[in-house]
Each structure stands twice: as C-alpha cells, then as structure tokens.
Amino acid sequence: MQKPLHPVALVAALAWLAAPLAAAAAEAAAAASPAVQGRAGLKPPAPGGTPRGVAAAGLAPAHREALAAGLPDLRIPPREAGPGVGTLPEDAWHDPLPRRGAASRWTVPAVESLSVNLAMMGWNRWVGAAPWADISGDSIGRNLRSRWVLDDDQFWVNQFGHPYQGTWAFSAARSAGQGFWVSSAYAFAASGLWEIAGETERPSRNDQVTTTVAGMVLGEILGRFSDALRAEGGTWNGVAAAVLSPMGAVNRRLLGPTRPERATSSRWALAMGGATGDATGDRGTWGGGVGLDFAWGLPGDPELALEKPFDHFVLEARYGFARDPDATVRARGLLAGRSFEAAPARGLYGLFLLFDFDTPQRFRVSTSALGAGASARADLGGGLALEGDLVGAAVILGAAGSVDRGDDGKGRDYRIGPGAQALAGLDLVAGTRARLGVVARQYLIFGEGEVAGDERIAELGARGSVRILGAHAVAVDVSRHLRHATADASGPVREAGWAFQVSWVIQGGVAPSAADWAVEL
C-alpha cells in the first residue's frame, strides 16, 4: 500500500527531542571553558606572518594585514593541544572523558534506537492513522516468515525518509562511544526491527539497504560536522551541533561530555540564490534555494592521516523552493585508503561508500553505492592549482526515473534495482579568489520487480565562483541533464533538460599548514 507522505513519522521523533536538545546545547555553551569560548567570533591574523583564512587571500601583500584585521576569519582554527581538544583514539568518534559505566555504550544506544522506532510507530498508528501501522502479533509473525520485497512507497519516503531514519540509530551508538562499524550494526538492526515490527506490510529489502547505508554515510558526516561546530564553542554553534546530531546532544547529557574532533583541513560553502530551467521547473520561472558544500580532510593536505573510516568525506546538499521541490544530497566517504604523492600532485585513493539523492523531476535518481576512487590536487605555481575527483562505484540498490502508475493509480512510479555510477570532476583554483570547474555524473539502474527496464541518468555541469570581499563570493552553475530509459513493453524514452543557478556564497574552512596552501582558504 502506498504510504502517504504527510504523516512522516520523523516529525514525531524530532518534536520529542527538540526541548532537551536546545537545553543541552545552551548548557554546553555556558559550561565551555574560557579558552574554548575565546576561539569563537572574530579572529585576528596570525602574528608575524602572512594572515591566513578567507579574509587575507587574493589581495596585494601590503593591504592584506589591514583588511584581515577588520574582517571575520570564518575558518575553524587548526588543531591545538590542550583541554577540550584532542585526537581520536582507534575508531572512536570522540576522545572520551570519564563517562557513566562501560556497559552504557552498548545499552544506551539500543534503548534509544528502540525508543525512536516506538515513537514513530505510535505516530503512524494513532496520529497518522495509517492502516499499515496497525501492528499485531500476527503481522509480526507473518513478516518473520515472509519473503523480503521491493516496496511501492513514494520516492521521497524511500530515498530520503528511510535514509534519515538510519542516522538516528547510527548516531546513538557513535555518540555513546562505539566505533564506526559497530554503529553500522546498530543502524542495520534498527532498520530490520522496523521492517519486521514497524509495519504490517512485508519487509522491504530496498528500505533495509538505504536505511543502513545512508545511515552510515549521513550519520558519520553529520556527527563530524557537529563536532567541528562544538569545537568552535559558542551558544549558536552548540545549538546547530545539536540540530545536526540530536542523539549526540542527548548522549552528552546522559553519559557525560566528550571532546570534539577537529579536522586537519576542511572547506565549506553556504549558498543562497535562485535557479531556473526545465530540468528543475517550468522554463522561464525562477525559484529560490539554499545549499551547503562541506569537505573534511582535503586531498593534497600533507598532514592528512587516513586512519579511520571517513577521515576524508565530501557532502553536497541543495534545496530549491518550488511547487515541486528540488532537493540534492550527495555524500561520499573514504572507508579505507591511502595518501599518495607524485609531483606535482598529492592526493588520496581508496574504497568509498556513497549515498546520492537528487530530484530534478524526470531526472531524479538516488543510490546507495560502494566503489573505488581518487582525489588529488596539483599545484601549478603562481597561486594556481588543479583539483580533481574520479570515482566509479557499484550501486547496491538505487532508484531512478519516472514511469506511469497503473490504471488504478497504485504501484511504484520509478524504477528500482542495482546498477553502477561514476563521477569525474576537475577544477582550476586561483587561491580563494576564483574557482572554475566541470563535472560529469552517470547513473545506470536496472529495474527489478513489476517496473522492469533500465534507467540511464547523466548530468554534465560547469561551475564558477569569484570571491568579492572577505568570505563572500558569487557563484554560477549550469547543468545539462539527460535521461535514456528502456522497458520491456514499450520503446526507449529519451529526455533532456537544463538548469541554471546563481548564488551568493559564504565560504570558509581550515587551511592545511603547507606553504602552498597559505592563501587557499
């Protein structure tokens, strides 16, 4: 049965935790040491040398110091020694301070994961009045004996709702002190419990895959992003950190404080602007939108240590305000890999775990994938550098395209199944003054079940940005979307569309300490 989108059960869990999260963030900020609080806000240029950070780059040397002193340096400071700051032992998310009981790292996330599932089950049954939420002993027994299937839920429910649901169990275990892989088992178990006992419908293997994989990818990224904000100190950073990782905020209240991790190098950009095009809306109309790009562990950083899963990751998120909202979440993290140096290039390569979600109408696609790739940076001299990414992956399970429902209006309106995907990108970088690049993405999904055939989705894009003043820049993106679909009962479908976006961007990050990165961030 098609599940309605409006009673999304995650709203119940968010509301259930909202009050303690805000209180936890405020208390953490109030309790922060003066040394930590002093690192927030405006930061003066580095004494005795060329100022670093977005405020200093791209200007004549004689003017850098004067301008930098009057502008905010939005970078997260380099890692320091001392109270509140530390590296992470083994695979732990945090450098643990004294906490309550060793057993709590196992029991607390288990109870929290179960509580979130129960809260959503209660919402679906008594508030949403969903017929598939009328759970009983008979339905649980039937699901235990049933064959796992591909369900017919809406694209947003399957490819965004379930993935976000997976972050709760993963983050609960991570913030309780568990490692990456043990936390992944919590996400897998919580998803399996939901499929068996959270719905009366037969258990869905596509939900099991996307909830677990996306829970791992997004849970780890949001947790580290939350850590980076906490490391900065300040009330608003604490609130934002709690919103990004609610279970982390809860467990700091329950189990005691932790030391946040700092990235050796990072880059972020917050964008606000407008977009048009027939790939994301009606031609000739404009819609507003926001976006965030965040990279942790920059390829080419000579101090980057690839010791744990996701010591390098990249997140791209967009949301367009339109009648049919256009959302994008693309995330990939390095599970295992190594750094390399082959002059003039430095970079990293290894095994990546990926989650992609993109909804430009007919060209929508979402994948959970595992593959190999590399990222590198080559310094060309004169303040110029080339940065490139190349990733090829096997899609464990993905969803793509748009197909007509049956005459009764039921059934799935997209294809779902395994496949493959690839990414290739190249950017020419001029310090922080300008960036110009191209990117190509390709997705192939083989439809299973009642909606057979295959989907081939491609995106070719060009992007550029120019920094205007301090941390502020103007960016332009143009992209071409292509779709080729085949089915057993009908001929091939070929479609094309384009999108154009212009944005005001605020950028920042942590610059590596190498001399050739001195003006990069």
Side-chain angles (χ1 to χ4, degrees):
M1 180 178 294
Q2 187 72 23
K3 296 184 180 66
L5 186 58
H6 66 274
V8 176
L10 296 175
V11 175
L14 287 171
W16 176 54
L17 292 171
L21 294 184
E27 288 181 13
S33 66
V36 172
Q37 294 178 6
R39 287 196 291 270
L42 302 182
K43 302 177 181 67
T50 301
R52 292 177 60 193
V54 295
L59 301 176
H63 299 292
R64 285 179 179 166
E65 185 171 353
L67 181 58
L71 291 174
D73 181 1
L74 298 178
R75 67 186 176 88
I76 302 168
R79 184 175 298 177
E80 303 169 5
V85 181
T87 57
L88 302 186
E90 300 176 356
D91 191 33
W93 196 351
H94 308 284
D95 182 7
L97 298 174
R99 309 188 85 181
R100 294 185 179 92
S104 62
R105 64 187 298 188
W106 298 92
T107 57
V108 167
V111 171
E112 290 171 337
S113 300
L114 180 61
S115 299
V116 170
N117 273 0
L118 290 174
M120 292 189 293
M121 291 162 61
W123 174 278
N124 289 331
R125 183 168 184 173
W126 289 294
V127 180
W132 45 265
D134 191 13
I135 304 155
S136 65
D138 290 340
S139 69
I140 294 174
R142 184 173 59 251
N143 284 346
L144 284 171
R145 300 186 300 270
S146 176
R147 178 175 62 89
W148 288 60
V149 300
L150 298 174
D151 68 32
D152 294 335
D153 290 352
Q154 297 179 25
F155 190 88
W156 273 78
V157 172
N158 267 348
Q159 305 307 132
F160 185 81
H162 279 285
Y164 183 69
Q165 181 180 344
T167 66
W168 289 77
F170 181 91
S171 298
R174 267 315 240 149
S175 58
Q178 297 291 358
F180 178 86
W181 295 110
V182 172
S183 301
S184 302
Y186 275 81
F188 182 87
S191 177
L193 178 62
W194 177 267
E195 294 302 318
I196 297 297
E199 304 174 0
T200 59
E201 297 178 350
R202 288 191 292 178
S204 166
R205 58 187 174 94
N206 54 287
D207 288 347
Q208 184 68 23
V209 170
T210 56
T211 303
T212 303
V213 173
M216 296 163 63
V217 175
L218 299 180
E220 183 72 9
I221 288 177
L222 293 177
R224 293 208 184 198
F225 199 175
S226 174
D227 259 12
L229 291 172
R230 288 203 303 127
E232 275 286 86
T235 300
W236 289 111
N237 280 344
V239 171
V243 170
L244 288 173
S245 183
M247 298 309 263
V250 170
N251 282 342
R252 286 191 294 276
R253 294 287 300 276
L254 293 177
L255 302 176
T258 58
R259 294 188 180 99
E261 182 181 14
R262 293 180 182 274
T264 58
S265 56
S266 66
R267 177 189 294 128
W268 60 263
L270 179 64
M272 298 162 283
T276 187
D278 56 11
T280 57
D282 297 331
R283 185 192 298 268
T285 63
W286 284 81
V290 295
L292 171 68
D293 292 328
F294 184 55
W296 175 294
L298 300 181
D301 177 6
E303 296 183 357
L304 177 61
L306 302 176
E307 300 173 346
K308 308 178 299 297
F310 282 64
D311 276 342
H312 162 72
F313 66 77
V314 177
L315 170 68
E316 173 190 343
R318 301 279 187 276
Y319 187 83
F321 304 102
R323 288 179 301 175
D324 186 8
D326 176 29
T328 298
V329 178
R330 295 188 179 112
R332 67 179 186 272
L334 187 68
L335 284 178
R338 300 183 64 179
S339 299
F340 71 86
E341 183 170 357
R346 289 196 300 259
L348 55 87
Y349 66 92
L351 185 67
F352 285 84
L353 189 65
L354 308 92
F355 172 72
D356 284 15
F357 173 79
D358 196 21
T359 64
Q361 295 186 354
R362 308 177 305 278
F363 309 98
R364 61 185 179 179
V365 61
S366 179
T367 60
S368 299
L370 179 69
S375 297
R377 170 189 167 97
D379 293 292
L380 306 179
L384 298 177
L386 281 177
E387 296 181 352
D389 304 288
L390 185 63
V391 180
V395 173
I396 305 169
L397 208 61
S402 179
V403 298
D404 293 332
R405 298 185 187 274
D407 295 336
D408 57 0
K410 298 181 179 180
R412 196 182 334 112
D413 63 350
Y414 55 91
R415 292 182 171 87
I416 190 169
Q421 69 182 74
L423 160 70
L426 186 66
D427 287 87
L428 176 64
V429 181
T432 58
R433 176 58 65 189
R435 175 180 290 265
L436 181 65
V438 293
V439 63
R441 302 178 187 272
Q442 174 77 55
Y443 301 91
L444 172 62
I445 303 297
F446 298 104
E448 289 187 1
E450 297 179 357
V451 187
D454 63 76
E455 290 280 348
R456 304 176 190 178
I457 306 289
E459 179 183 343
L460 308 174
R463 58 204 178 193
S465 65
V466 177
R467 192 172 56 82
I468 306 300
L469 180 64
H472 301 273
V474 173
V476 174
D477 293 82
V478 60
S479 58
R480 180 70 168 170
H481 298 259
L482 305 171
R483 177 187 178 220
H484 182 276
T486 59
D488 295 337
S490 61
V493 176
R494 292 182 174 86
E495 296 181 286
W498 62 275
F500 175 81
Q501 179 175 330
V502 58
S503 305
W504 186 267
V505 180
I506 303 174
Q507 57 190 11
V510 181
S513 59
D516 52 4
W517 286 75
V519 297
E520 176 57 26
L521 289 170

